[in-house]
Amino acid sequence: MGKSKNDAKKIEWDAKIFLSKNNYLIQTDAVKNYLIPLGNYKENLEWLAYAEEADILNVALFGFTAKAWRDENSELAKKNNIRDFASINELTVLSE
């Protein structure tokens, strides 16, 4: 029974990683294609719109920004981000 539980957790973790990566690509592509005119992101600092758009979604779903989460979870934030701890349901909402 222990192995089955571990297998289920591994499957859930894999699904969460897939959804998180998929969400990020959808989000960044949408920002790049629709919110930011084509240009030099590094020079114009327009890349900040990516962070702002992500934080709008974070606040809507989790109730706080990524920075607020990092400030409250400094040890976890060294290797993780807020979405690493989201449920499959939350990640599905983000992907939609």
Side-chain angles (χ1 to χ4, degrees), residues 27-51:
Q27 178 184 330
T28 56
D29 285 350
V31 170
K32 183 173 76 175
N33 293 330
Y34 301 107
L35 297 179
I36 299 175
L38 295 177
N40 184 338
Y41 301 118
K42 291 180 182 177
E43 183 178 308
N44 299 326
L45 298 179
E46 291 176 343
W47 59 270
L48 289 173
Y50 288 103

Side-chain angles (χ1 to χ4, degrees), residues 2 8 13 28-29 35 41 50 57 66-67 70 80 84 86 95:
W13 178 255
T28 56
D29 285 350
L35 297 179
Y41 301 118
Y50 288 103
L57 296 173
K67 182 180 182 332
R70 286 191 307 272
N80 301 287
D84 290 331
S95 72

Side-chain angles (χ1 to χ4, degrees), residues 7-71:
D7 290 345
K9 286 186 180 208
K10 171 82 167 97
I11 290 169
E12 181 179 356
W13 178 255
D14 289 346
K16 288 171 73 173
I17 294 300
F18 172 79
L19 287 170
S20 185
K21 286 181 180 181
N22 189 42
N23 293 341
Y24 184 75
L25 290 174
I26 292 169
Q27 178 184 330
T28 56
D29 285 350
V31 170
K32 183 173 76 175
N33 293 330
Y34 301 107
L35 297 179
I36 299 175
L38 295 177
N40 184 338
Y41 301 118
K42 291 180 182 177
E43 183 178 308
N44 299 326
L45 298 179
E46 291 176 343
W47 59 270
L48 289 173
Y50 288 103
E52 290 171 1
E53 182 70 15
D55 270 342
I56 290 169
L57 296 173
N58 288 338
V59 170
L61 189 61
F62 304 117
F64 42 83
T65 66
K67 182 180 182 332
W69 182 85
R70 286 191 307 272
D71 290 346

